[in-house]
Amino acid sequence: MKKLYTEWEYRRYHRSKLSRVAKRSRKRKTRRKLKRVKAQRPQLSGEVKIKAPAHVSLLNNVEETIAFFEEIRRGVIGRHVVDIDFSSVRKITSDALLYLVALFDHFKMRGEYYRVKGNFPLSRRCKILLIESGFFRYVKTEVPIPSMGSDTLKISRAVRADGKFAKEILEFVQSKIPSFRPHEPYRHIVELMTNTRQHAFEKNGFYWYSVAIHNPDEHEVWLAFMDNGVGIHDALSRDWSERVMEAIPLVSLSPSKLLLSALEGHFRTRTEEGYRGKGLPRLYESVQANEFSDMVIISDRAYIDFRSNAQGHCKDLDFKFHGTLYSWIFREGNTT
Amino acid sequence: MTKEIDLANDFSETPGGRFRSDGPHSGEEFRDDVLVPILEEYGEAARIAIKIDGVYGFPTSFLEETFGGLARKFGTARVLQCIEILTVDNPLIRDEIMGYIKCPDGKK
């Protein structure tokens, strides 16, 4: 006997049926799409094993660390499975982890299909740092990650220049250094976010990254901020003599001296507008005024270190650093 | 009649970058959505008092695009006549803002 429905019951049954049909259809489409994507993926040719240096740090071992990252980059671009051996790492700093996360994001943004795997360092301290820095929020691991202490503000990543992120970073600093005043550092952090947004990226949005670590023994907070864009070098304008020099083979401008001139306030913004390009000189003034300590800037092949020299010790790197890294320390005696 | 604007409460205590495309609470947004409509509505008679205390920090690009941009649009003389910066805690920021208004093209 045919079941009779009321109009309301029929409509409800019909709606539910349509919804189930639509859901099945969506699932089928997703499966077909995944199958197509997998079929189109380039085949990876072989495995490359890369041994991490004992000291992985952009601030303290810049050449060897950048060379190590360059090996990873070449492995991915060469369509290999990259296997990183971290077991013999004795010291690792968060700036290097920041760069590694940025490197993986860069591959994703470029649409590179890659497989990178690795092991934990044998050093317990390094392993703790890997966990506390929030590194595993950006890479997969099968090892369960415990939540750990409050001395690290984990790696943050974003696209936009948002004051709320800067405030979060600086409130962390203020919680560890009560005398710290955030107004000037806030200005610099937002400027760095704005710079990366406006100058660093060619087409698609990339990210800026930050991490902060409190060192209770030294009563200081270390902060690193970086982006994986084109680097300051490409964002600066050159005067006519510099353009001539760049055009001559075997003659090259010193990247670090070019960057230092931008910090010192020589008109360098690529936009050529007089009211732009105030951020870097302002940052330089703050370094000179001891508003924060131990600043290091790495961009492209430029490395400028203010730790041993208040005017900035310049060094041109052998390998290119893809992006820009700013690192500095807040201490009790800083004059913010 | 003077229109009073509290930057921290009426706009944001965490100002952002220069342009809207940079992110939320940009200088362009504050200038075009808050200040320009008042200047256009009241013309030469417009008076705006902007209280800047309570803001977490003042990014250079935000200040320059807001006030330097205002001066580039309406002229330095008119902006100096119409805008007043109210502050107890940030006199140096007020001086900086005046600098951007007086030199909107960046040349001193």
Side-chain angles (χ1 to χ4, degrees):
Chain A
M1 185 180 164
K2 196 175 179 179
K3 189 170 181 181
L4 296 172
Y5 295 94
T6 63
E7 191 180 327
W8 173 79
E9 281 172 338
Y10 177 78
R11 277 189 188 169
R12 190 177 70 164
Y13 168 74
H14 195 60
R15 213 169 22 240
S16 157
K17 187 179 172 189
L18 279 178
S19 158
R20 287 197 302 274
V21 165
K23 198 174 173 183
R24 276 201 295 271
S25 166
R26 278 197 301 271
K27 272 190 181 169
R28 273 201 298 271
K29 276 187 188 165
T30 308
R31 276 201 294 269
R32 280 201 294 265
K33 188 179 173 188
L34 272 173
K35 212 172 163 182
R36 264 201 316 273
V37 165
K38 274 189 182 168
Q40 285 167 6
R41 261 184 205 161
Q43 292 300 313
L44 296 176
S45 54
E47 191 169 292
V48 162
K49 283 192 190 309
I50 298 173
K51 192 173 168 75
H55 193 170
V56 183
S57 171
L58 290 165
L59 300 182
N60 303 317
N61 188 22
V62 60
E63 294 281 10
E64 208 178 352
T65 303
I66 292 186
F68 161 60
F69 289 135
E70 188 62 22
E71 269 192 83
I72 297 173
R73 206 179 69 86
R74 285 192 194 138
V76 167
I77 289 172
R79 304 250 166 91
H80 302 298
V81 175
V82 176
D83 187 357
I84 307 173
D85 180 9
F86 278 107
S87 59
S88 55
V89 171
R90 292 281 170 264
K91 196 167 180 188
I92 188 166
T93 52
S94 291
D95 47 273
L97 295 177
L98 219 56
Y99 191 62
L100 205 50
V101 169
L103 202 57
F104 295 149
D105 280 342
H106 182 69
F107 297 146
K108 275 184 223 162
M109 289 295 175
R110 285 169 53 106
E112 302 273 1
Y113 174 63
Y114 68 96
R115 273 198 65 205
V116 177
K117 52 184 183 171
N119 51 11
F120 278 93
L122 290 172
S123 157
R124 188 169 174 272
R125 188 186 259 186
C126 293
K127 191 172 172 180
I128 289 172
L129 178 67
L130 268 174
I131 295 169
E132 283 194 341
S133 67
F135 179 72
F136 293 107
R137 293 200 299 182
Y138 303 97
V139 299
K140 287 183 195 167
T141 179
E142 289 157 4
V143 175
I145 302 295
S147 59
M148 303 196 83
S150 64
D151 273 338
T152 303
L153 183 67
K154 297 188 188 313
I155 295 174
S156 301
R157 176 182 71 179
V159 174
R160 301 191 305 174
D162 193 334
K164 286 197 181 106
F165 287 115
K167 187 179 174 192
E168 188 190 330
I169 294 166
L170 295 171
E171 280 181 340
F172 171 81
V173 177
Q174 205 163 22
S175 70
K176 306 299 179 190
I177 304 177
S179 61
F180 172 73
R181 284 166 57 203
H183 307 290
E184 275 300 307
Y186 175 88
R187 165 197 293 256
H188 295 310
I189 292 173
V190 173
E191 280 302 308
L192 295 182
M193 291 177 189
T194 307
N195 280 351
T196 55
R197 182 99 185 132
Q198 289 179 10
H199 298 299
F201 309 129
E202 298 150 345
K203 289 180 194 173
N204 302 318
F206 288 75
Y207 295 103
W208 58 256
Y209 307 81
S210 73
V211 68
I213 297 184
H214 174 227
N215 183 345
D217 299 330
E218 303 288 335
H219 304 289
E220 63 189 29
V221 176
W222 170 81
L223 172 65
F225 181 97
M226 74 161 280
D227 68 72
N228 58 348
V230 301
I232 300 177
H233 187 261
D234 283 351
L236 297 177
S237 72
R238 288 108 165 98
D239 62 29
W240 70 267
S241 63
E242 289 163 344
R243 282 196 284 267
V244 167
M245 280 177 68
E246 272 195 324
I248 300 172
L250 302 180
V251 174
S252 60
L253 296 173
S254 164
S256 54
K257 292 215 162 73
L258 189 67
L259 175 54
L260 188 62
S261 76
L263 285 165
E264 288 170 343
H266 304 290
F267 181 59
R268 285 290 182 189
T269 172
R270 189 175 50 180
T271 63
E272 306 279 344
E273 285 160 343
Y275 54 87
R276 303 280 298 268
K278 310 288 183 207
L280 285 180
R282 189 83 194 206
L283 185 68
Y284 185 73
E285 282 170 21
S286 292
V287 172
Q288 303 304 305
N290 194 34
E291 287 173 16
F292 37 82
S293 312
D294 294 6
M295 174 137 236
V296 174
I297 303 176
I298 309 174
S299 184
D300 201 275
R301 290 184 201 274
Y303 178 93
I304 302 181
D305 189 344
F306 292 93
R307 289 175 292 186
S308 51
N309 181 347
Q311 310 312 317
H313 166 70
C314 294
K315 181 177 166 180
D316 292 341
L317 301 172
D318 295 331
F319 290 101
K320 180 174 168 146
F321 180 87
H322 294 269
T324 305
L325 169 75
Y326 302 86
S327 159
W328 63 91
I329 291 178
F330 297 109
R331 291 195 177 105
E332 281 282 350
N334 290 135
T335 56
T336 48
Chain B
M1 192 190 82
T2 303
K3 177 99 175 145
E4 275 202 20
I5 294 170
D6 185 330
L7 184 57
N9 294 321
D10 298 339
F11 184 68
S12 174
E13 64 158 1
T14 52
R18 184 181 283 272
F19 302 121
R20 284 179 205 271
S21 54
D22 292 335
H25 311 303
S26 64
E28 187 182 18
E29 183 186 334
F30 181 56
R31 184 193 67 215
D32 291 348
D33 294 356
V34 179
L35 302 180
V36 166
I38 300 172
L39 288 171
E40 284 178 345
E41 187 183 342
Y42 294 100
E44 296 287 337
R47 294 291 182 270
I48 310 174
I50 306 174
K51 186 183 164 202
I52 61 172
D53 291 339
V55 174
Y56 201 74
F58 300 91
T60 309
S61 297
F62 174 87
L63 293 178
E64 204 293 318
E65 188 63 23
T66 302
F67 298 101
L70 211 58
R72 285 189 287 278
K73 189 176 170 81
F74 292 99
T76 296
R78 175 139 176 236
V79 173
L80 285 175
Q81 183 190 6
C82 297
I83 300 282
E84 186 189 357
I85 306 296
L86 304 176
T87 179
V88 172
D89 304 325
N90 299 290
L92 294 178
I93 300 296
R94 179 179 47 213
D95 295 342
E96 187 179 342
I97 291 170
M98 288 298 135
Y100 294 137
I101 295 172
K102 289 173 183 168
C103 303
D105 57 1
K107 294 171 188 163
K108 290 184 182 169

